[in-house]
Amino acid sequence: MTFQRADLEKQVLDSPKEVKWCTRCVVSNQRPRIIFNDDGVCSGCLNTDYKNNNVDWDERERELVDLLNHHRRNDGHWDVIVPSSGGKDSSYVAHQLRYKYGMNPLTVTWSPLKYTDIGRKNLQASIDSGFSNILSTPNGILQRKLARLCLEELGDAFHVFVLGQISFPFHMAAKLGVKLVFYGENGEAEYGGDPEYLDKPYKPSSEWLNQHFKGISFKELLEYGIKNKSYISEEDYADSDLMFYEPPSSDQLEKAGILGKHFFSYYKKWIPQENYYYVVENCGFKPNPERNEGTYSKYSSLDDMMDGFHYYLRYIKFGLGRCMEDAAHEIRDGHLTREEGIALMERYEGDFPKKYFQEFLEYLDITEDHFWDIVDSWRAPHLWEKINREWVFKHPIK
Ligand SMILES: [Zn+2]
């Protein structure tokens, strides 16, 4: 029987029916909220032009120092929270804040669904470079059921991780009286979202629902699951288990004096490859011994066995996978030509993440047939057609 789902995830329905690829990089107009100009150039590339030509980075650094001076404490208490996986970007931010700008950061970590060895080691290495860290690991039974619910109804098991990854640091900030929460890059500006974010140093909580939570609150999602899924019930959790899947309310944040997610990429020019060299040098960071499936890189998103499926499902939904993510940024940063990017896309984009497939099925407690039924339920007809019983992507980059 084919899997039937509700349409809780609206972005997929909104994507343009005619596929266009950026003439300068390797992203298409299927990316939610991306904008193309009349010359067919995407907002990710135009944002890079803006960063290269229009932003006064010395002035931005002065703004950073002002902000940090405003929050800096002399009583020995933490004065900034850095949500950190121990990956290259968050380790870079925490290390810069502490050692270059003299702040006293606390790093907080929301556990991946299933840690890889290299992910655990990099988190420990980051802690060993001079940070206190709070790691939160959610109720394992609930987390797995929520991951399955998120895969079935939002096309992304990893979404359950995103909920906690964004919400948990703000609970810690409010509880510990820390008003500044620093993230690495602003995805909207760096990866080709809405250009209006280029000149915004932080993102208030009112924008998280649509930009991070796929337009559905955790409560609505859970209620939907309890009503419609036999595998999840109120027996699986106590109310306290749910606390960190939702951010504090905007009232609570306001009372705590917390503006939102601050972005280091607003203040300092964001070049992922350079962050990588920095953390290898300063934070004991180690890349994967082999390339990540679905791309050519070895240094980003290494800590979760499950996140390959996040990129794979995005490839099914939007025709944009993990290789695109790496190559588009490196083309904009001048590390690759578009032709080299296309060659990498032809080789790696959309590769199935088979290495951890069994772990993924076991984690979610689903069969392989059910997995493929779910995947097929997310194939947009304008992107996919079946030829000789094989699904073929209709608009590869050229
Ligand atoms: Zn572009």
Side-chain angles (χ1 to χ4, degrees), residues 76-110:
H77 197 282
W78 293 301
D79 46 24
V80 55
I81 281 182
V82 179
S84 171
S85 59
K88 71 179 194 317
D89 296 331
S90 50
S91 295
Y92 163 74
V93 172
H95 198 275
Q96 283 261 304
L97 286 172
R98 180 174 184 111
Y99 292 104
K100 181 158 186 196
Y101 297 101
M103 298 296 282
N104 182 18
L106 170 70
T107 65
V108 303
T109 306
W110 180 251

Side-chain angles (χ1 to χ4, degrees), residues 107-380:
T107 65
V108 303
T109 306
W110 180 251
S111 170
L113 301 183
K114 214 166 159 61
Y115 257 114
T116 59
D117 282 346
I118 187 95
R120 270 275 184 200
K121 283 183 183 150
N122 279 329
L123 175 63
Q124 190 58 50
S126 165
I127 293 166
D128 291 346
S129 67
F131 297 94
S132 294
N133 171 270
I134 296 176
L135 167 66
S136 176
T137 309
N139 171 335
I141 289 177
L142 176 65
Q143 176 87 334
R144 291 170 60 175
K145 293 181 175 187
L146 290 172
R148 175 170 170 181
L149 176 66
C150 289
L151 176 69
E152 290 180 347
E153 297 303 330
L154 300 175
D156 188 7
F158 198 65
H159 185 70
V160 70
F161 167 79
V162 174
L163 292 170
Q165 182 203 27
I166 290 173
S167 306
F168 173 64
F170 288 90
H171 285 282
M172 288 299 101
K175 280 181 202 308
L176 296 169
V178 178
K179 294 179 178 149
L180 188 58
V181 181
F182 242 115
Y183 283 75
E185 83 274 47
N186 180 351
E188 287 301 294
E190 296 298 320
Y191 300 108
D194 194 330
E196 76 170 275
Y197 287 96
L198 277 172
D199 287 322
K200 291 192 178 168
Y202 67 90
K203 189 188 287 182
S205 63
S206 55
E207 294 173 13
W208 301 350
L209 184 68
N210 281 330
Q211 291 193 12
H212 300 310
F213 302 150
K214 301 185 195 287
I216 180 167
S217 75
F218 173 66
K219 263 202 190 76
E220 292 172 285
L221 183 66
L222 181 67
E223 274 169 20
Y224 178 88
I226 287 175
K227 209 166 150 197
N228 295 285
K229 304 288 179 181
S230 58
Y231 56 80
I232 185 164
S233 81
E234 285 164 345
E235 315 272 293
D236 294 319
Y237 59 88
D239 285 350
S240 49
D241 291 326
L242 307 179
M243 188 191 308
F244 299 141
Y245 288 108
E246 279 188 303
S249 69
S250 43
D251 271 3
Q252 285 170 311
L253 289 171
E254 199 175 318
K255 272 195 196 112
I258 299 166
L259 288 174
K261 295 173 67 176
H262 266 87
F263 298 113
F264 210 64
S265 65
Y266 169 83
Y267 299 98
K268 304 269 281 189
K269 202 167 171 184
W270 192 254
I271 304 174
Q273 206 179 77
E274 290 186 7
N275 297 352
Y276 165 67
Y277 292 124
Y278 181 96
V279 293
V280 166
E281 178 84 19
N282 295 293
C283 310
F285 182 85
K286 297 225 166 22
N288 236 349
E290 53 194 25
R291 72 175 176 82
N292 295 318
E293 291 172 297
T295 187
Y296 56 93
S297 78
K298 296 181 173 183
Y299 57 65
S300 56
S301 299
L302 314 175
D303 45 26
D304 198 333
M305 289 183 192
M306 305 297 159
D307 75 351
F309 297 91
H310 162 71
Y311 293 102
Y312 185 72
L313 264 292
R314 194 181 66 182
Y315 178 65
I316 299 296
K317 289 173 173 179
F318 300 108
L320 297 170
R322 190 167 194 168
C323 186
M324 178 283 299
E325 191 89 30
D326 290 331
H329 215 297
E330 290 195 10
I331 292 168
R332 293 174 199 145
D333 291 340
H335 303 308
L336 287 179
T337 64
R338 186 171 187 269
E339 287 63 40
E340 288 166 333
I342 291 176
L344 290 164
M345 293 272 282
E346 286 167 352
R347 186 145 178 212
Y348 299 120
E349 180 77 334
D351 265 3
F352 185 70
K354 53 188 177 306
K355 186 172 169 189
Y356 295 120
F357 189 35
Q358 279 315 311
E359 278 91 345
F360 187 72
L361 296 176
E362 280 165 28
Y363 185 85
L364 299 181
D365 193 25
I366 57 174
T367 63
E368 190 169 339
D369 284 348
H370 186 52
F371 172 80
W372 287 111
D373 281 348
I374 297 167
V375 169
D376 289 344
S377 82
W378 289 99
R379 288 184 197 274

